[in-house]
Amino acid sequence: MWNVPSLSLTSPFTSITGLAGGLLTAGTQAFGKAWDWAGGLPGAVLAMPLSFVNSGRTIPPAAPSDTGHFVEVRPPGLAPMTVAYERRGTGEPVVLLHGIGSNRQAWDAVMPLLTVEREVITVDLPGFGDSPDLPDGLPHDLPTVVASLGAVFSALGLKRPHVVGHSMGGLIALRLGQAGLARSVTAVAPAGFWSHAERWYALTVLNAARQIARLPEPVTAWLSQTILGHAVLTGTLYMRADRSTPEAVVASLRALRQAAGFQATVRAGRARDLFVGDIPDLPVTLAWGTADRVLPARQAARAAAMIPMARMMWLPRCGHVPMNDAPQLVAQIILRATARSSTAELPESGRGCALAPASTGSPLSSVSAVPYTVGNDRPHGGRGARGTWVTVQDETRGQE
C-alpha cells in the first residue's frame, strides 16, 4: 500500500473524493493523450512503440549533463555536508533548484537556453541526485536547507545570485529570498500554498509516484516506450508528455527511486506555514501552469496575495513541470526575470505585471493581463479582484 501522509481533515469524505477525482481526471487525460497520439485507433495500438507515433515529430533532445562537481560546506551550527552541482555559461549568476524526488537534470532542456546570457548553476539538493543525504540528525526542513544553500553560495563565490526554483525548489527559492540570500526569485509552481486537503492530495500523489518508480527498471523502460505506458508514467506531471523521451522518463523515475532524502522531505512538507509573510524588497516572479494537476492553479492566487508585488505569469497548456512542456517559454521568463532592468526596485505602478524588454527571437509572442481573485481556481475579472496575472503565449507551439 502507499504510504499516505496522515492528516486530520474536517471532511475526510470530501477530501478522499477530491483525491480520487483528481487521480481519475489525470488518468483519463493521460489516456486521452495516448488515444490522440494513436489517432483514435482501437485496442492494441496503444501498446505499440512510442517511436512509431513520434516518427513524424521533433522532440527536442535534452542537453547532455556535464559530470557534476562537489562542494563540501559546513553551515553555521550544522554538521559538514556535500552538495553536487554543475556550473556553465557567463553573465549574471542564476541558481536553478529542482523539485522533490528530482535532480538537477530536471533543467537540462532549459539550461542551454540560458547559458548564452547567464552563468547557470544547477544544484542537487541534499539527499537528491548525486548529493549525499544530510548527516544523521539533521532534518530536511526549510531552515536547514536554506542554511545549507547559503553556505554553498559562499563556497562557490556567489554573492546573492538570482535563484529559480520549481515546486519544492520554488518554495526554497522564496525562503532564500526572505533570508536575503538571493538577488531575485523566480518560483515555478512553488509548493506550500496549499490547503490541508490539497497538501494531503499532493503528498499522496508524490508517494504514489515513488511506488511506481520502485518497479523494476526493465518494466518502466518498456512502459516508457509504449504510447499508453508513456502517458500513464508522465500524465500527472506533464501536459505535453510527447516532449519527453523514454530515456528521460526512465532517468527521472530512477532519480525518484534513489532519492535518499525523499521520505524525510515529505515529512517536513507536512509542517504548517511553510511560507509566511512577504518579500517586499526583492523582485519576485511567480509562474504557474494552467493545467497543473499536482498544485492546482488556485494555489497561485494565494501565493500572489501573500507576495503582492510579485510579477505573476500564467503558463498556458503547461502542467506541473513546465520545463518539459515549454522549455523555451520557461527560459525566456527566467531571462526576463534576471535581467538588470527587471531586478531594479519595482515602482508601485509595476505591481503584478513588470516585465523586462523581450529579447530578439523571444517566444513570448503575446502578453495579456488578467485580473485574479484570491481563492478562485482560475483568474477572472469582476469585483474583489486583488491584482493582475500576466498570461504569456508560446509561439513555438505552432512550429512543430
Side-chain angles (χ1 to χ4, degrees), residues 81-85 95-105 107 122-134 140 142 144-146 148-150 152-153 163-173 176 259-262 265:
M81 60 190 69
T82 302
V83 172
Y85 71 96
V95 174
L96 305 180
L97 304 177
H98 60 79
I100 185 172
S102 188
N103 56 14
R104 65 183 188 272
Q105 283 77 25
W107 297 98
T122 54
V123 175
D124 281 337
L125 295 168
F128 298 92
D130 293 328
S131 291
D133 202 3
L134 290 172
H140 277 263
L142 286 165
T144 300
V145 176
V146 167
S148 303
L149 289 174
V152 170
F153 293 171
V163 180
V164 180
H166 168 247
S167 195
M168 174 189 72
L171 173 61
I172 294 170
L176 285 165
F262 180 85
T265 302

Coordinates of all heavy atoms in Angstrom, one line a residue, residues 81-85 95-105 107 122-134 140 142 144-146 148-150 152-153 163-173 176 259-262 265:
M81 N 28.5 18.9 5.1 CA 27.7 18.2 4.1 C 28.3 18.5 2.8 O 29.0 19.4 2.6 CB 26.2 18.7 4.2 CG 26.0 20.1 3.9 SD 24.3 20.7 4.3 CE 24.3 20.5 6.1
T82 N 27.9 17.6 1.8 CA 28.4 17.7 0.5 C 27.3 17.9 -0.5 O 26.3 17.2 -0.4 CB 29.2 16.4 0.1 OG1 30.3 16.3 1.0 CG2 29.8 16.5 -1.3
V83 N 27.5 18.8 -1.5 CA 26.4 19.1 -2.4 C 27.0 19.0 -3.8 O 28.1 19.5 -4.1 CB 25.8 20.5 -2.2 CG1 24.9 20.9 -3.3 CG2 25.1 20.5 -0.8
A84 N 26.3 18.3 -4.8 CA 26.7 18.2 -6.2 C 26.1 19.4 -6.9 O 25.0 19.8 -6.7 CB 26.2 16.9 -6.7
Y85 N 26.8 19.8 -8.0 CA 26.4 20.9 -8.8 C 27.0 20.9 -10.1 O 28.0 20.2 -10.4 CB 26.7 22.3 -8.1 CG 28.1 22.6 -8.1 CD1 28.7 23.5 -9.0 CD2 29.0 22.1 -7.1 CE1 30.0 23.8 -9.0 CE2 30.4 22.4 -7.1 CZ 30.9 23.3 -8.0 OH 32.2 23.6 -8.1
V95 N 21.0 30.4 -10.1 CA 20.9 29.1 -9.5 C 19.6 28.5 -9.7 O 18.5 29.1 -9.5 CB 21.2 29.2 -8.0 CG1 21.1 27.8 -7.3 CG2 22.6 29.7 -7.7
L96 N 19.6 27.2 -10.2 CA 18.3 26.5 -10.5 C 18.1 25.4 -9.5 O 19.0 24.6 -9.3 CB 18.4 25.9 -11.9 CG 18.6 26.9 -13.1 CD1 18.7 26.2 -14.4 CD2 17.6 28.0 -13.1
L97 N 17.0 25.3 -8.9 CA 16.7 24.3 -7.8 C 15.5 23.4 -8.3 O 14.5 23.9 -8.8 CB 16.3 25.0 -6.5 CG 17.3 26.0 -5.9 CD1 16.7 26.6 -4.7 CD2 18.6 25.3 -5.6
H98 N 15.7 22.1 -8.2 CA 14.7 21.2 -8.6 C 13.6 20.9 -7.6 O 13.7 21.4 -6.4 CB 15.4 19.9 -9.0 CG 16.1 19.2 -7.9 ND1 15.5 18.5 -6.9 CD2 17.4 19.2 -7.5 CE1 16.4 18.0 -6.0 NE2 17.6 18.5 -6.4
G99 N 12.6 20.1 -7.9 CA 11.6 19.7 -7.0 C 11.9 18.5 -6.3 O 12.9 17.8 -6.5
I100 N 10.9 18.0 -5.4 CA 11.1 16.8 -4.6 C 11.2 15.6 -5.5 O 10.4 15.5 -6.5 CB 10.0 16.7 -3.6 CG1 10.3 15.5 -2.6 CG2 8.6 16.6 -4.2 CD1 9.3 15.4 -1.5
G101 N 12.1 14.7 -5.2 CA 12.3 13.5 -5.9 C 13.0 13.6 -7.3 O 13.1 12.7 -8.0
S102 N 13.4 14.8 -7.6 CA 14.0 15.1 -8.9 C 15.5 15.4 -8.7 O 16.1 15.0 -7.6 CB 13.4 16.3 -9.5 OG 13.8 16.4 -10.9
N103 N 16.2 15.9 -9.6 CA 17.6 16.3 -9.5 C 17.9 17.4 -10.5 O 17.0 18.0 -11.1 CB 18.5 15.0 -9.8 CG 18.2 14.4 -11.2 OD1 17.5 15.0 -12.1 ND2 18.7 13.2 -11.5
R104 N 19.1 17.8 -10.6 CA 19.5 19.0 -11.4 C 19.2 18.8 -12.9 O 19.1 19.7 -13.6 CB 21.0 19.4 -11.2 CG 22.0 18.3 -11.6 CD 23.4 18.8 -11.3 NE 24.4 17.9 -11.9 CZ 24.9 16.8 -11.3 NH1 24.4 16.4 -10.1 NH2 25.8 16.1 -11.9
Q105 N 19.1 17.5 -13.3 CA 18.9 17.2 -14.7 C 17.4 17.6 -15.1 O 17.1 17.7 -16.3 CB 19.1 15.8 -15.0 CG 20.6 15.4 -15.2 CD 21.3 15.2 -13.8 OE1 20.6 15.0 -12.8 NE2 22.6 15.4 -13.8
W107 N 16.4 20.4 -15.3 CA 16.6 21.7 -16.0 C 17.4 21.5 -17.3 O 17.7 22.5 -17.9 CB 17.3 22.7 -15.1 CG 16.5 23.1 -13.9 CD1 16.7 22.6 -12.6 CD2 15.5 24.1 -13.8 NE1 15.8 23.2 -11.8 CE2 15.1 24.1 -12.5 CE3 14.9 24.9 -14.8 CZ2 14.0 25.0 -12.0 CZ3 13.9 25.8 -14.3 CH2 13.5 25.8 -13.0
T122 N 23.3 24.6 -11.5 CA 22.2 23.7 -11.1 C 22.7 22.9 -10.0 O 23.9 22.5 -9.9 CB 21.8 22.8 -12.3 OG1 23.0 22.1 -12.8 CG2 21.2 23.5 -13.4
V123 N 21.9 22.7 -9.0 CA 22.3 22.1 -7.7 C 21.4 20.9 -7.5 O 20.2 20.9 -7.7 CB 22.1 23.1 -6.6 CG1 22.4 22.4 -5.2 CG2 23.0 24.3 -6.8
D124 N 22.0 19.8 -7.0 CA 21.3 18.6 -6.4 C 21.1 18.9 -4.9 O 22.1 19.0 -4.2 CB 22.1 17.3 -6.6 CG 21.9 16.8 -8.0 OD1 20.9 17.1 -8.7 OD2 22.8 16.0 -8.4
L125 N 19.9 19.1 -4.5 CA 19.6 19.4 -3.1 C 20.0 18.2 -2.3 O 20.1 17.0 -2.8 CB 18.1 19.7 -2.9 CG 17.6 20.9 -3.6 CD1 16.1 21.0 -3.6 CD2 18.2 22.2 -2.9
P126 N 20.4 18.4 -1.0 CA 20.8 17.3 -0.1 C 19.9 16.1 -0.1 O 18.7 16.3 0.1 CB 21.0 17.9 1.2 CG 21.2 19.4 1.0 CD 20.4 19.7 -0.3
G127 N 20.4 14.9 -0.4 CA 19.6 13.7 -0.4 C 18.9 13.4 -1.8 O 18.1 12.5 -1.9
F128 N 19.3 14.2 -2.8 CA 18.7 14.0 -4.1 C 19.8 14.1 -5.2 O 20.8 14.7 -5.0 CB 17.6 15.1 -4.4 CG 16.5 15.1 -3.5 CD1 16.5 15.9 -2.4 CD2 15.4 14.3 -3.8 CE1 15.4 15.9 -1.5 CE2 14.3 14.3 -2.9 CZ 14.3 15.1 -1.8
G129 N 19.6 13.4 -6.3 CA 20.6 13.4 -7.3 C 21.9 12.8 -6.8 O 21.9 11.7 -6.2
D130 N 23.0 13.5 -7.1 CA 24.3 13.0 -6.7 C 24.7 13.5 -5.3 O 25.8 13.2 -4.9 CB 25.3 13.4 -7.7 CG 25.2 12.7 -9.1 OD1 24.7 11.6 -9.1 OD2 25.5 13.4 -10.1
S131 N 23.9 14.3 -4.7 CA 24.2 14.9 -3.4 C 23.9 13.8 -2.3 O 22.8 13.3 -2.2 CB 23.4 16.1 -3.1 OG 23.9 17.2 -3.9
P132 N 24.9 13.5 -1.4 CA 24.6 12.6 -0.3 C 23.5 13.2 0.6 O 23.2 14.4 0.6 CB 25.9 12.5 0.4 CG 26.9 13.0 -0.5 CD 26.3 14.0 -1.4
D133 N 22.8 12.3 1.3 CA 21.8 12.8 2.3 C 22.4 13.6 3.4 O 23.7 13.6 3.6 CB 21.1 11.6 2.9 CG 19.7 11.9 3.4 OD1 19.3 13.1 3.3 OD2 19.0 11.0 4.0
L134 N 21.6 14.4 4.1 CA 22.1 15.2 5.2 C 22.7 14.2 6.3 O 22.2 13.1 6.4 CB 21.0 16.0 5.8 CG 20.5 17.1 4.9 CD1 19.2 17.8 5.5 CD2 21.5 18.2 4.8
H140 N 15.2 17.6 7.2 CA 15.1 18.1 5.9 C 14.1 19.3 5.9 O 13.3 19.4 5.0 CB 14.7 17.1 4.9 CG 15.8 16.2 4.4 ND1 16.4 16.5 3.2 CD2 16.4 15.1 4.9 CE1 17.3 15.5 3.0 NE2 17.3 14.7 4.0
L142 N 13.0 23.5 6.1 CA 13.4 24.6 5.3 C 14.6 25.4 5.9 O 15.5 25.8 5.2 CB 12.2 25.5 5.1 CG 11.2 25.0 4.0 CD1 9.9 25.7 4.1 CD2 11.8 25.1 2.6
T144 N 17.1 24.3 7.6 CA 18.3 23.6 7.4 C 18.7 23.7 5.9 O 19.9 23.9 5.6 CB 18.1 22.1 7.7 OG1 17.8 22.0 9.1 CG2 19.4 21.3 7.4
V145 N 17.8 23.5 5.0 CA 18.1 23.6 3.6 C 18.5 25.0 3.2 O 19.5 25.2 2.4 CB 16.9 23.1 2.7 CG1 17.2 23.3 1.2 CG2 16.6 21.6 3.0
V146 N 17.9 26.0 3.7 CA 18.3 27.4 3.4 C 19.7 27.7 3.9 O 20.5 28.3 3.2 CB 17.2 28.4 4.0 CG1 17.8 29.8 3.9 CG2 15.9 28.3 3.2
S148 N 22.0 25.5 4.4 CA 22.9 24.7 3.5 C 23.2 25.4 2.2 O 24.4 25.5 1.8 CB 22.3 23.3 3.3 OG 22.0 22.6 4.5
L149 N 22.2 25.9 1.6 CA 22.4 26.6 0.3 C 23.1 27.9 0.5 O 23.9 28.3 -0.4 CB 21.0 26.8 -0.4 CG 20.4 25.5 -0.9 CD1 19.0 25.8 -1.5 CD2 21.3 24.9 -2.0
G150 N 22.9 28.6 1.6 CA 23.6 29.8 1.8 C 25.1 29.5 1.9 O 26.0 30.3 1.4
V152 N 26.6 26.9 0.5 CA 27.0 26.6 -0.9 C 27.3 27.8 -1.7 O 28.3 27.9 -2.4 CB 26.0 25.7 -1.6 CG1 26.3 25.5 -3.0 CG2 25.9 24.3 -0.9
F153 N 26.4 28.8 -1.6 CA 26.6 30.0 -2.4 C 28.0 30.7 -2.0 O 28.7 31.1 -2.9 CB 25.5 31.0 -2.1 CG 24.1 30.6 -2.6 CD1 23.0 31.3 -2.3 CD2 24.0 29.5 -3.4 CE1 21.8 30.9 -2.7 CE2 22.8 29.1 -3.9 CZ 21.6 29.8 -3.5
V163 N 17.9 33.3 -8.0 CA 17.5 31.9 -7.6 C 16.2 31.6 -8.3 O 15.2 32.3 -8.2 CB 17.4 31.7 -6.1 CG1 17.0 30.2 -5.8 CG2 18.7 32.1 -5.4
V164 N 16.2 30.4 -9.0 CA 15.0 30.0 -9.7 C 14.7 28.6 -9.1 O 15.6 27.7 -9.0 CB 15.2 29.9 -11.2 CG1 13.9 29.4 -11.9 CG2 15.6 31.2 -11.8
G165 N 13.4 28.3 -8.7 CA 13.1 27.0 -8.2 C 11.8 26.5 -8.7 O 10.9 27.3 -9.0
H166 N 11.7 25.2 -8.8 CA 10.4 24.5 -9.2 C 9.8 23.7 -8.1 O 10.6 23.0 -7.5 CB 10.7 23.6 -10.4 CG 9.6 22.7 -10.8 ND1 9.7 21.3 -10.6 CD2 8.3 23.0 -11.2 CE1 8.5 20.8 -11.0 NE2 7.7 21.8 -11.4
S167 N 8.6 23.9 -7.8 CA 7.8 23.1 -6.9 C 8.5 23.2 -5.5 O 8.5 24.3 -4.9 CB 7.7 21.6 -7.3 OG 6.8 20.9 -6.6
M168 N 9.0 22.2 -4.9 CA 9.7 22.3 -3.6 C 10.9 23.3 -3.8 O 11.1 24.1 -2.9 CB 10.3 20.9 -3.2 CG 11.2 21.0 -2.0 SD 12.0 19.4 -1.6 CE 13.2 19.4 -3.0
G169 N 11.6 23.3 -4.9 CA 12.7 24.2 -5.1 C 12.2 25.6 -5.2 O 12.9 26.6 -4.8
G170 N 10.9 25.8 -5.7 CA 10.4 27.2 -5.7 C 10.1 27.7 -4.3 O 10.3 28.9 -4.0
L171 N 9.6 26.8 -3.4 CA 9.4 27.2 -2.0 C 10.7 27.6 -1.4 O 10.9 28.6 -0.7 CB 8.7 26.1 -1.3 CG 8.6 26.3 0.2 CD1 7.8 27.5 0.6 CD2 7.9 25.0 0.8
I172 N 11.8 26.8 -1.6 CA 13.1 27.0 -1.1 C 13.6 28.4 -1.6 O 14.2 29.2 -0.9 CB 14.0 25.9 -1.4 CG1 13.6 24.6 -0.7 CG2 15.5 26.2 -1.0 CD1 14.3 23.4 -1.1
A173 N 13.4 28.6 -2.9 CA 13.9 29.9 -3.5 C 13.2 31.1 -2.8 O 13.9 32.1 -2.5 CB 13.6 29.9 -5.0
L176 N 14.8 31.5 0.5 CA 16.2 32.1 0.3 C 16.0 33.6 0.1 O 16.9 34.4 0.6 CB 16.9 31.5 -0.9 CG 17.4 30.1 -0.7 CD1 17.8 29.4 -2.0 CD2 18.6 30.1 0.2
A259 N 16.2 8.7 -4.5 CA 16.3 9.9 -3.7 C 16.3 9.5 -2.2 O 15.3 9.2 -1.6 CB 15.1 10.8 -4.0
A260 N 17.5 9.6 -1.5 CA 17.6 9.2 -0.1 C 16.9 10.2 0.8 O 16.4 9.8 1.9 CB 19.1 9.2 0.3
G261 N 16.7 11.4 0.3 CA 16.0 12.4 1.2 C 14.5 12.5 1.0 O 13.9 13.4 1.5
F262 N 13.9 11.6 0.2 CA 12.5 11.8 -0.2 C 11.6 11.7 1.0 O 10.8 12.7 1.2 CB 12.1 10.7 -1.2 CG 10.7 10.8 -1.7 CD1 10.3 11.6 -2.7 CD2 9.7 10.0 -1.0 CE1 9.0 11.7 -3.1 CE2 8.4 10.1 -1.4 CZ 8.1 10.9 -2.5
T265 N 11.9 14.6 3.4 CA 11.4 15.8 2.9 C 9.8 15.8 2.9 O 9.2 16.8 3.1 CB 11.9 16.0 1.5 OG1 13.3 16.0 1.5 CG2 11.4 17.3 0.9

